[in-house]
Amino acid sequence: MMSRIVSWMAVGLLGAVPSWARAPADEPPRGTIVDVPFVSTVLRDNRIGLDPERAIKVLLPPGYARSERRYPVVYFLHNAWWSPRQMFEDGRAQRLIERGFAERVVREFIFVVADYTGPTTGSLYENSPVSGRWIDYTVDEVVPLIDAKYRTLARRESRAVVGDFFGGRGALKLAMMKADEFSVAYAMHPVATGAGDIPWSSLEIDWPRMHAAKSFGELGGLGRTQIFWAIHQAFAPNVAKAPCFCDFYTEMKDGKPAYDPDRAVAMQESFLLDESLTESAAALRTMRGLALDWGRFDTTQAHVISNRQFSRKLEDLGVEHEAEEYRGDPWNRTWTEDGRFAKRVLPFLEKHLTAE
Amino acid sequence: MMSRIVSWMAVGLLGAVPSWARAPADEPPRGTIVDVPFVSTVLRDNRIGLDPERAIKVLLPPGYARSERRYPVVYFLHNAWWSPRQMFEDGRAQRLIERGFAERVVREFIFVVADYTGPTTGSLYENSPVSGRWIDYTVDEVVPLIDAKYRTLARRESRAVVGDFFGGRGALKLAMMKADEFSVAYAMHPVATGAGDIPWSSLEIDWPRMHAAKSFGELGGLGRTQIFWAIHQAFAPNVAKAPCFCDFYTEMKDGKPAYDPDRAVAMQESFLLDESLTESAAALRTMRGLALDWGRFDTTQAHVISNRQFSRKLEDLGVEHEAEEYRGDPWNRTWTEDGRFAKRVLPFLEKHLTAE
Amino acid sequence: MMSRIVSWMAVGLLGAVPSWARAPADEPPRGTIVDVPFVSTVLRDNRIGLDPERAIKVLLPPGYARSERRYPVVYFLHNAWWSPRQMFEDGRAQRLIERGFAERVVREFIFVVADYTGPTTGSLYENSPVSGRWIDYTVDEVVPLIDAKYRTLARRESRAVVGDFFGGRGALKLAMMKADEFSVAYAMHPVATGAGDIPWSSLEIDWPRMHAAKSFGELGGLGRTQIFWAIHQAFAPNVAKAPCFCDFYTEMKDGKPAYDPDRAVAMQESFLLDESLTESAAALRTMRGLALDWGRFDTTQAHVISNRQFSRKLEDLGVEHEAEEYRGDPWNRTWTEDGRFAKRVLPFLEKHLTAE
Amino acid sequence: MMSRIVSWMAVGLLGAVPSWARAPADEPPRGTIVDVPFVSTVLRDNRIGLDPERAIKVLLPPGYARSERRYPVVYFLHNAWWSPRQMFEDGRAQRLIERGFAERVVREFIFVVADYTGPTTGSLYENSPVSGRWIDYTVDEVVPLIDAKYRTLARRESRAVVGDFFGGRGALKLAMMKADEFSVAYAMHPVATGAGDIPWSSLEIDWPRMHAAKSFGELGGLGRTQIFWAIHQAFAPNVAKAPCFCDFYTEMKDGKPAYDPDRAVAMQESFLLDESLTESAAALRTMRGLALDWGRFDTTQAHVISNRQFSRKLEDLGVEHEAEEYRGDPWNRTWTEDGRFAKRVLPFLEKHLTAE
């Protein structure tokens, strides 16, 4: 603890006036956004036309340039249909992080937003021979790249993963599979944590259109139908079956959709995180910090119900964690001044991530 | 179908006036209750003092004595804390069955209530070296006994299992494990189908008293604590650990309860039916009829929630079934004139059980 | 009860062979579908271009022509986007009713499908100066018309109302408001019985498009947005505010949607049935039969949750009723051979509707 | 905002080293617990033997003695079966508050724990002629007393109410009824916010014992039965009906419990907060800060479900609020170092309570 004080002293105690005693005119010191172009080898292995050139972005903290220190690293997993560029475009995320540093809510870290975009939804945080081995890309390529290029604390104690929505699924998945690489995970409104209350045979998917489609793009405007094209590529891949390269859990028979329960259940076991939670319990118990949160008013209540059950199951498995359900929907309380990222994620990182 | 008509003709069409056109004075023809004492070999194998002498009761249908026919058999699994004697004591169940026969709601069957009583709760429909191998007792002893003593249709197509509460668990368990013996199962308000919404570490169990107790009886009046003594004997048995002969999922450490997640989860996998549902899917798909129902107003809402989820999972697994949630609690709509047994179970048996 | 037998005798006991003893070749006697054109006065009062010419359809039971009897009447309230023509088009409903008569599941009744169509969704079973006074139309015009034209038992004891989805809402609404006219109500998968779990500020409604639209038609393809145009006309009418003639619960302010809680809550009080349930309790307690049922797997779980709560509230209010939640979605278990209409609605009518 | 800095300066910026940079050896400055005996006039008006002598306790902040400042006041409403003495007995609450002051999580306030004990459960935060007018006692006696004796900021902007369990109900009730007195309310795991999922006719209450009892004490060990004795006195009082002085919602008729829905519903309207929420909306919208939170794993899930619905209804009513559901039960996350009081309540007070 004393060494923590000393390290703070080293950074300079200019900011010793408590945050809420500072006039709003105070602009917190700015970090630096760096583009880190990278050509992936792992992602070449796909059937959907993924571009191996990745546009990774990194936010270096304000003190980085003038110090010799090594920093913990927070890997942010953006949602499907999103990108590193969009993460920084409106400046909100950056501003919240900088303010968190300035107000001593959290000590400085390097914030990495790797590129999980693609021609369909982008990564659903899978390892698929069809839509990309995104878990491997993250652990085998992105993390070593960042550790090589920047002054990082290159160890699990100082490595966190944070994500929202599908990226929240990614954060939990990495904790479950790669707890030797990351010791802190925060999933913001994760999805696909469980089956919810609607059986898959009742999901509103337009199977005739799904089977008639030649490409993801053709299913534009069909909502769940289009997303399930990508979900099948990720979690029910079959490289031999063009054009989707997957085994649909409902085939067409005599012009009518025919539900295949064995396929559906096999796909659920791969897609839904609670299905493999028991096997991951030992790994998850080694986490320094594990959290998920979610907005109560998600119109897809299956997300909400699944997250409640996921937390109950973590509890049964003896996995220490936080699991707050808040007033809000998946989007409206996340990146605001008083939102979940500023008020929940940053203090959580401070509490669990080792900065020395 | 014609043969069905013929067989009805054989019984005689005296009752051709529709049921609701009959004056209430009409007393339906009476069946005959027979005591079938039996000494079990299977149940000798236990550590809790089970009496191998079993007081099985059988209701032979009104037409049995005057015919040469063979009949389908319905095995009724009574709840814990209940007995064959109590099943017939107030005459309600018998009267509903006889009326169902008379009103042609269902063709005649032999109704067997085997003896699942014991010195603790009675059977929870387990196979346990400590509290009894009740599944084996049912399939290896009771069914052959009945087939030997009575003119039964001795095959799965004509054999149904029905139970309520813990007996409902039993009916589902037999369908999952012994679909080669039974082809029709109806679970009335089954329990232990899933984990519900409360983690086991939060269950209101008095662990100090549990560990201090020398016997089940000592825990009298402690509700859930006492029941979990029996549940441990059934689903976490350990013949080497007197006096309970089980591995409690919470031990006492330094005078304080210490939750053991590995034990809890192992016990859940054995106790909670949804945990092995996927493996049972193929068997369940062979059932001619599978149903569960439950009252919405059970004050232990975990039962209700688990049954909803159980039905959702059956649906995902492609298992044909019925699953009605009704207005009522576990007890107040079951054995009434218009209750679940008369209005739902009997027609279900008629629909799915082969009587010729 | 004896008089019941006698009346059955009068009809002739040709059908005395029990239903399940009859070969499938047996075609049940056919009823007669009659078109009953009618020009409504009540519905002239509207702002959305309702056609006062109504295409009511009536199914007279097989015995009607050859008897002098008077019959009970079942009024069926079809769903929005549906019509009397569609109700009979595929013959399913008619066949199920005729089979129910033939198999003595229910005694003969006159089945009336009044015309609730319109240029938007059709009736939502409201009394609105904008979209029509459909409750008044039903009670003040349709019922007297049918009683005048046909040999009905013209009294509440012999008058039932049944509906599905929005028509289910209608059936409950009529029971709540007009228990002096109808004594039996069965709501099949009713909607709008309560607020569910999503606040109205989170509903996925495209408010800019709503406010920009000149007509219902313009909102085609926008799902909930379009439906809420009609819901506003029905439950937040304002004859002075073209083109929708309603007070939207979210206005546009400075180009952004601004939620108005007072309007939202006022509209909920009118639209959601549970809001006025307490005031309707005394009336509902006079019903001879009241039932609602619903499919568990409705992808809009708010319907399911609201119906559960509605039943709980009826119970608290001491209102006798049935409330079954079944495996299925709102559509796939209703009109099948073994579906809710055949197996639940018809016996319910037999039990509660007076036929003599 | 500048004035806020100045006021902090006035207190002295000794604590400018951020909290987490301080060695654990640092003991935060101690406040002073003061006994404030008080004889209530309001509480004389009761039929259950309430002692008008009240043992109020006040925690004065560390800086109180050496300053001339006026302080905001936080009124804490303890749970039923609890007392001011117990609140301070183990020192946990005091220590968390003092640490919160020292770490600048929240500026100093006066912490008042008025005495809500009684011979039955203690206050349920009602105004009842039988069990006490606790709302009036709080507002008309306790608040003026504290304002008279101590240097308070005697206005709503600087007055908060916080409570747990039944005290949580109290905090919400005061916000709903007395928003002119309090502008900040935080309800920790409040109960009685709604009806939940179990109808009152199904609640496990031993009515024969209830009616046979001569006093609250006789019902000892009967759990819910005993509590409902007190609930009736609070919310269904009848001064003419000894010994309970209430109208039970279930009477005994011919030796059997007979549910009276009119009484039940009238009592719910008084007891359950959501029943009067719409009428309170205007008042609640004037609150500077309103929050409730609750543990997901309360074994009485009706509490959890009701709180979720309560938040949904607040949202519909346009009432700004926070509503977090956390991993935990009602007790195990509240008063720990990292618990709800330290990490959620104190920052909430800092954010919304005016300290100048």
Side-chain angles (χ1 to χ4, degrees):
Chain A
M1 184 59 97
M2 283 311 290
S3 65
R4 187 187 268 201
I5 296 178
V6 171
S7 90
W8 267 107
M9 297 292 173
V11 193
L13 256 166
L14 305 171
V17 176
S19 66
W20 29 264
R22 214 179 278 129
D26 285 358
E27 270 304 309
R30 308 303 311 259
T32 308
I33 297 174
V34 190
D35 286 303
V36 186
F38 172 70
V39 182
S40 169
T41 304
V42 167
L43 295 180
R44 284 186 201 281
D45 180 17
N46 78 85
R47 300 294 175 114
I48 61 169
L50 280 184
D51 185 348
E53 295 195 30
R54 299 279 106 191
I56 298 168
K57 282 183 182 285
V58 171
L59 174 65
L60 296 174
Y64 189 85
R66 64 175 190 274
S67 85
E68 304 287 312
R69 294 184 57 211
R70 292 192 165 273
Y71 291 86
V73 188
V74 174
Y75 291 86
F76 188 83
L77 309 180
H78 62 73
N79 189 13
W81 312 283
W82 206 246
S83 70
R85 184 183 53 72
Q86 284 169 299
M87 269 302 292
F88 290 108
E89 204 163 48
D90 65 6
R92 283 201 301 180
Q94 179 179 1
R95 192 175 59 242
L96 293 173
I97 293 169
E98 289 164 350
R99 185 177 302 267
F101 292 155
E103 297 185 354
R104 301 289 162 91
V105 171
V106 60
R107 275 162 293 175
E108 291 191 345
F109 55 74
I110 297 170
F111 187 70
V112 176
V113 186
D115 181 354
Y116 293 95
T117 62
T120 66
T121 58
S123 173
L124 303 178
Y125 299 95
E126 69 271 24
N127 264 347
S128 158
V130 170
S131 51
R133 289 184 289 110
W134 296 98
I135 304 296
D136 292 349
Y137 156 72
T138 305
V139 171
D140 298 339
E141 295 188 330
V142 176
V143 169
L145 173 77
I146 298 300
D147 282 340
K149 285 187 82 87
Y150 298 101
R151 294 195 314 275
T152 65
L153 291 162
R155 57 184 188 208
R156 74 184 287 272
E157 288 76 10
S158 303
R159 213 179 272 133
V161 62
V162 177
D164 69 341
F165 216 78
F166 269 110
R169 184 196 182 279
L172 293 174
K173 184 72 183 172
L174 282 169
M176 290 164 72
M177 283 180 67
K178 302 288 179 181
D180 52 337
E181 296 283 342
F182 302 92
S183 71
V184 178
Y186 197 113
M188 304 168 81
H189 203 95
V191 295
T193 54
D197 38 18
I198 308 292
W200 276 24
S201 53
S202 291
L203 292 183
E204 285 158 340
I205 293 176
D206 187 335
W207 291 108
R209 294 281 293 271
M210 184 83 96
H211 282 276
K214 293 281 173 292
S215 71
F216 179 81
E218 270 182 49
L219 298 169
L222 288 184
R224 198 181 298 275
T225 302
Q226 191 183 45
I227 296 165
F228 264 75
W229 174 280
I231 292 174
H232 277 89
Q233 294 181 324
F235 303 104
N238 182 341
V239 293
K241 264 171 90 172
C244 181
F245 299 103
C246 71
D247 292 318
F248 289 117
Y249 76 75
T250 294
E251 292 286 347
M252 298 301 290
K253 280 192 184 152
D254 307 326
K256 288 195 166 173
Y259 176 73
D260 182 331
D262 292 322
R263 283 194 186 168
V265 167
M267 190 165 147
Q268 289 180 338
E269 282 171 2
S270 163
F271 180 47
L272 304 176
L273 295 180
D274 66 341
E275 298 274 347
S276 49
L277 199 50
T278 302
E279 300 94 276
S280 305
L284 289 175
R285 288 185 201 129
T286 71
M287 295 296 285
R288 297 172 61 87
L290 177 67
L292 61 162
D293 67 14
W294 60 92
R296 180 173 302 119
F297 301 141
D298 188 338
T299 52
T300 302
Q301 282 285 297
H303 298 155
V304 172
I305 291 167
S306 297
N307 284 332
R308 289 174 187 158
Q309 290 280 348
F310 196 82
S311 170
R312 199 267 309 147
K313 199 160 180 177
L314 285 173
E315 192 84 28
D316 274 335
L317 292 166
V319 176
E320 191 60 32
H321 70 287
E322 295 190 12
E324 280 185 331
E325 176 179 307
Y326 53 89
R327 171 203 177 204
D329 64 33
W331 322 110
N332 64 3
R333 308 280 162 184
T334 305
W335 299 104
T336 54
E337 289 289 317
D338 272 340
R340 304 297 303 182
F341 186 79
K343 296 299 181 189
R344 296 292 180 261
V345 178
L346 293 182
F348 186 83
L349 294 172
E350 172 57 27
K351 185 173 171 189
H352 296 290
L353 201 55
T354 304
E356 293 115 42
Chain B
M1 182 57 99
M2 283 309 291
S3 65
R4 187 185 270 199
I5 295 178
V6 171
S7 88
W8 266 106
M9 297 292 175
V11 193
L13 257 167
L14 306 170
V17 176
S19 65
W20 29 266
R22 213 179 276 130
D26 287 359
E27 268 304 310
R30 307 303 312 259
T32 308
I33 298 174
V34 190
D35 285 303
V36 187
F38 172 70
V39 182
S40 168
T41 303
V42 167
L43 295 180
R44 285 187 200 281
D45 181 16
N46 78 84
R47 301 293 176 114
I48 62 170
L50 280 183
D51 185 349
E53 295 195 30
R54 299 279 109 191
I56 299 169
K57 282 183 183 284
V58 171
L59 174 66
L60 296 174
Y64 189 86
R66 65 176 189 275
S67 86
E68 304 287 314
R69 293 183 58 210
R70 292 192 166 272
Y71 290 85
V73 187
V74 175
Y75 291 86
F76 189 84
L77 310 180
H78 63 72
N79 190 13
W81 311 283
W82 206 246
S83 71
R85 185 182 54 71
Q86 286 169 296
M87 269 302 292
F88 290 107
E89 204 163 46
D90 65 6
R92 284 201 300 178
Q94 180 179 0
R95 193 174 57 242
L96 294 174
I97 292 169
E98 289 164 349
R99 186 176 301 269
F101 293 155
E103 297 186 354
R104 302 289 160 91
V105 171
V106 60
R107 275 163 294 176
E108 291 191 345
F109 53 75
I110 297 170
F111 187 70
V112 177
V113 187
D115 181 354
Y116 294 97
T117 62
T120 64
T121 58
S123 172
L124 304 177
Y125 299 94
E126 68 272 25
N127 265 346
S128 159
V130 170
S131 50
R133 289 185 289 109
W134 296 99
I135 304 295
D136 293 349
Y137 156 72
T138 305
V139 171
D140 299 339
E141 296 188 330
V142 176
V143 170
L145 173 75
I146 297 300
D147 282 340
K149 285 187 85 85
Y150 298 100
R151 294 195 312 276
T152 65
L153 291 162
R155 56 186 188 207
R156 75 185 288 272
E157 287 77 8
S158 302
R159 213 179 273 133
V161 62
V162 177
D164 68 340
F165 217 77
F166 268 111
R169 185 195 182 280
L172 293 175
K173 185 70 182 173
L174 282 169
M176 291 164 72
M177 283 181 68
K178 302 289 179 182
D180 50 338
E181 296 283 343
F182 302 92
S183 71
V184 178
Y186 197 113
M188 305 168 81
H189 204 95
V191 295
T193 54
D197 38 17
I198 308 292
W200 277 23
S201 53
S202 291
L203 293 183
E204 285 156 340
I205 293 176
D206 187 335
W207 290 108
R209 294 283 292 272
M210 183 83 97
H211 282 277
K214 293 279 174 291
S215 70
F216 179 81
E218 269 183 50
L219 298 170
L222 288 183
R224 198 181 299 276
T225 302
Q226 192 184 43
I227 296 165
F228 264 75
W229 175 280
I231 292 175
H232 277 89
Q233 294 181 324
F235 303 104
N238 183 339
V239 293
K241 264 172 89 174
C244 182
F245 299 103
C246 71
D247 291 318
F248 288 117
Y249 76 75
T250 294
E251 292 287 347
M252 298 300 290
K253 280 191 185 153
D254 308 325
K256 289 197 168 171
Y259 175 73
D260 182 330
D262 292 323
R263 282 193 186 169
V265 167
M267 189 166 147
Q268 289 179 337
E269 283 171 2
S270 164
F271 180 47
L272 304 176
L273 295 180
D274 67 339
E275 297 275 346
S276 50
L277 198 50
T278 302
E279 300 93 275
S280 305
L284 289 174
R285 288 184 201 130
T286 72
M287 295 295 285
R288 297 171 62 86
L290 178 68
L292 62 161
D293 67 14
W294 60 93
R296 181 173 301 117
F297 301 141
D298 189 338
T299 53
T300 301
Q301 282 284 297
H303 299 156
V304 172
I305 292 167
S306 296
N307 284 332
R308 289 174 187 158
Q309 291 279 348
F310 196 82
S311 169
R312 199 267 309 146
K313 199 161 179 175
L314 285 174
E315 190 84 28
D316 275 335
L317 291 166
V319 176
E320 191 60 32
H321 71 287
E322 295 190 14
E324 280 185 330
E325 176 180 307
Y326 54 89
R327 170 201 177 205
D329 65 33
W331 322 111
N332 63 3
R333 308 280 163 184
T334 305
W335 299 105
T336 54
E337 289 290 317
D338 271 340
R340 304 299 302 182
F341 186 79
K343 296 299 182 187
R344 297 292 180 262
V345 178
L346 293 183
F348 186 83
L349 293 172
E350 172 58 26
K351 185 173 170 188
H352 296 293
L353 202 54
T354 304
E356 296 113 41
Chain C
M1 182 60 97
M2 282 310 291
S3 65
R4 188 185 268 199
I5 296 178
V6 172
S7 89
W8 266 106
M9 297 293 173
V11 193
L13 257 168
L14 305 172
V17 177
S19 65
W20 29 264
R22 214 178 277 129
D26 286 358
E27 269 304 308
R30 309 303 312 259
T32 308
I33 298 175
V34 190
D35 285 303
V36 186
F38 173 70
V39 182
S40 168
T41 303
V42 167
L43 296 180
R44 285 185 201 283
D45 180 17
N46 78 84
R47 301 294 175 114
I48 62 169
L50 281 183
D51 185 349
E53 295 194 30
R54 300 278 108 192
I56 298 169
K57 282 183 183 286
V58 171
L59 175 65
L60 297 174
Y64 189 86
R66 65 174 190 274
S67 86
E68 305 287 313
R69 292 183 58 211
R70 291 191 166 273
Y71 291 86
V73 187
V74 175
Y75 291 85
F76 188 83
L77 310 180
H78 63 72
N79 190 14
W81 311 283
W82 205 246
S83 71
R85 184 182 54 72
Q86 285 169 297
M87 269 301 292
F88 289 108
E89 204 163 46
D90 66 7
R92 285 201 299 178
Q94 180 179 0
R95 193 174 57 242
L96 293 174
I97 292 170
E98 289 164 350
R99 185 175 303 267
F101 293 154
E103 297 186 354
R104 301 286 163 92
V105 171
V106 59
R107 274 163 293 177
E108 291 190 344
F109 54 74
I110 297 171
F111 187 70
V112 176
V113 187
D115 180 353
Y116 294 96
T117 62
T120 65
T121 59
S123 173
L124 303 177
Y125 299 95
E126 69 271 25
N127 265 346
S128 159
V130 170
S131 50
R133 289 184 289 111
W134 296 98
I135 304 296
D136 293 348
Y137 157 72
T138 305
V139 171
D140 298 339
E141 295 188 329
V142 176
V143 169
L145 174 75
I146 298 300
D147 283 340
K149 286 187 83 84
Y150 299 101
R151 295 195 311 276
T152 64
L153 291 162
R155 58 185 187 206
R156 74 185 287 273
E157 287 76 9
S158 302
R159 212 179 272 133
V161 62
V162 177
D164 68 341
F165 217 77
F166 269 110
R169 184 196 183 281
L172 293 174
K173 185 70 183 173
L174 282 169
M176 291 164 72
M177 283 181 68
K178 302 288 179 182
D180 50 338
E181 297 283 343
F182 302 93
S183 71
V184 178
Y186 197 113
M188 305 168 80
H189 203 95
V191 296
T193 55
D197 38 18
I198 307 293
W200 277 24
S201 53
S202 290
L203 293 183
E204 284 157 341
I205 293 176
D206 187 335
W207 291 108
R209 295 282 293 272
M210 183 83 97
H211 282 276
K214 293 279 174 290
S215 71
F216 179 81
E218 270 183 50
L219 297 170
L222 288 183
R224 198 181 298 275
T225 302
Q226 192 184 41
I227 297 165
F228 264 75
W229 175 279
I231 292 174
H232 277 89
Q233 293 181 324
F235 302 103
N238 183 339
V239 294
K241 264 171 89 174
C244 181
F245 299 103
C246 70
D247 291 317
F248 289 117
Y249 75 76
T250 294
E251 292 286 346
M252 298 300 291
K253 280 193 183 152
D254 308 326
K256 290 196 167 170
Y259 175 74
D260 181 331
D262 292 323
R263 282 193 186 168
V265 167
M267 190 167 146
Q268 289 180 336
E269 283 171 2
S270 163
F271 180 47
L272 303 176
L273 295 180
D274 67 340
E275 297 275 346
S276 50
L277 199 50
T278 301
E279 300 94 275
S280 305
L284 290 174
R285 287 184 203 132
T286 72
M287 295 296 285
R288 297 172 61 87
L290 178 67
L292 61 161
D293 67 13
W294 60 93
R296 182 172 300 117
F297 302 141
D298 187 338
T299 52
T300 301
Q301 281 285 296
H303 298 156
V304 172
I305 291 167
S306 296
N307 284 333
R308 289 175 188 158
Q309 292 279 347
F310 196 82
S311 170
R312 200 267 309 147
K313 199 161 181 176
L314 285 174
E315 191 85 28
D316 275 335
L317 290 166
V319 176
E320 191 60 33
H321 71 288
E322 295 189 14
E324 280 185 330
E325 176 180 307
Y326 53 89
R327 170 201 178 206
D329 64 33
W331 322 110
N332 63 3
R333 308 279 163 185
T334 305
W335 298 105
T336 55
E337 288 290 318
D338 272 340
R340 305 298 302 182
F341 186 79
K343 296 298 182 188
R344 297 292 179 262
V345 178
L346 293 183
F348 186 83
L349 294 172
E350 172 57 27
K351 185 173 170 189
H352 296 292
L353 202 55
T354 303
E356 296 114 41
Chain D
M1 182 59 96
M2 283 310 292
S3 65
R4 188 186 269 198
I5 296 178
V6 171
S7 89
W8 267 106
M9 297 292 174
V11 193
L13 258 167
L14 305 171
V17 177
S19 65
W20 30 266
R22 214 178 277 130
D26 286 358
E27 270 302 311
R30 308 302 313 259
T32 307
I33 297 175
V34 190
D35 285 303
V36 186
F38 172 71
V39 181
S40 169
T41 303
V42 167
L43 295 181
R44 285 185 200 282
D45 181 16
N46 77 86
R47 301 292 175 115
I48 61 169
L50 281 183
D51 185 349
E53 294 195 31
R54 300 278 106 193
I56 299 169
K57 283 185 182 283
V58 171
L59 174 65
L60 296 174
Y64 189 86
R66 65 175 191 273
S67 86
E68 304 287 313
R69 292 182 58 210
R70 292 191 165 272
Y71 291 86
V73 187
V74 175
Y75 291 86
F76 188 83
L77 309 180
H78 62 73
N79 190 13
W81 312 282
W82 206 246
S83 71
R85 184 182 53 73
Q86 285 168 297
M87 269 301 292
F88 290 108
E89 203 162 46
D90 66 6
R92 284 200 302 179
Q94 179 179 1
R95 192 174 58 243
L96 293 174
I97 292 168
E98 289 165 350
R99 186 177 303 266
F101 293 155
E103 296 185 355
R104 300 288 160 93
V105 171
V106 59
R107 276 163 291 176
E108 292 190 345
F109 54 74
I110 297 170
F111 187 70
V112 177
V113 186
D115 181 353
Y116 294 96
T117 61
T120 65
T121 58
S123 173
L124 304 177
Y125 298 96
E126 69 272 24
N127 265 346
S128 158
V130 171
S131 51
R133 288 184 290 110
W134 297 98
I135 304 296
D136 292 349
Y137 156 73
T138 305
V139 171
D140 298 339
E141 295 188 330
V142 176
V143 170
L145 173 75
I146 298 301
D147 282 340
K149 286 188 82 85
Y150 299 100
R151 293 194 314 275
T152 65
L153 292 161
R155 57 185 187 206
R156 74 184 288 273
E157 288 77 9
S158 302
R159 212 179 273 133
V161 62
V162 177
D164 69 342
F165 216 77
F166 268 110
R169 185 195 183 279
L172 293 175
K173 184 71 182 173
L174 282 168
M176 290 165 71
M177 282 181 68
K178 302 289 179 180
D180 51 337
E181 297 283 342
F182 302 92
S183 71
V184 178
Y186 197 113
M188 304 168 80
H189 202 94
V191 295
T193 54
D197 37 18
I198 308 292
W200 276 24
S201 53
S202 291
L203 292 183
E204 285 156 341
I205 293 176
D206 187 335
W207 290 108
R209 295 282 294 271
M210 184 83 96
H211 282 277
K214 293 279 174 292
S215 71
F216 179 82
E218 270 183 48
L219 298 170
L222 288 183
R224 198 181 299 276
T225 302
Q226 191 183 43
I227 297 166
F228 264 76
W229 175 280
I231 292 174
H232 278 89
Q233 293 181 324
F235 303 103
N238 183 341
V239 293
K241 265 171 88 174
C244 181
F245 299 104
C246 70
D247 292 318
F248 289 117
Y249 76 76
T250 294
E251 292 287 346
M252 297 302 289
K253 281 192 183 151
D254 308 326
K256 290 196 166 172
Y259 175 73
D260 182 330
D262 291 322
R263 282 193 187 170
V265 167
M267 190 167 146
Q268 288 180 337
E269 283 171 3
S270 164
F271 180 47
L272 304 177
L273 295 180
D274 66 341
E275 298 273 347
S276 50
L277 199 50
T278 302
E279 300 93 277
S280 305
L284 289 174
R285 288 185 201 128
T286 72
M287 296 296 284
R288 296 172 62 88
L290 177 67
L292 61 161
D293 67 14
W294 60 92
R296 180 173 302 118
F297 302 141
D298 188 339
T299 52
T300 301
Q301 282 284 296
H303 298 156
V304 172
I305 291 167
S306 296
N307 284 333
R308 288 175 187 157
Q309 291 280 348
F310 196 81
S311 170
R312 199 267 310 147
K313 198 159 181 177
L314 284 173
E315 191 84 28
D316 274 336
L317 290 166
V319 176
E320 191 59 33
H321 70 288
E322 295 189 13
E324 279 185 331
E325 176 179 307
Y326 53 91
R327 171 201 176 204
D329 64 33
W331 322 110
N332 64 2
R333 308 280 162 183
T334 305
W335 299 105
T336 54
E337 290 289 318
D338 271 341
R340 304 298 303 182
F341 186 78
K343 296 299 182 187
R344 297 292 180 263
V345 178
L346 294 183
F348 187 83
L349 294 172
E350 172 58 26
K351 186 174 170 188
H352 296 292
L353 202 54
T354 304
E356 295 114 41

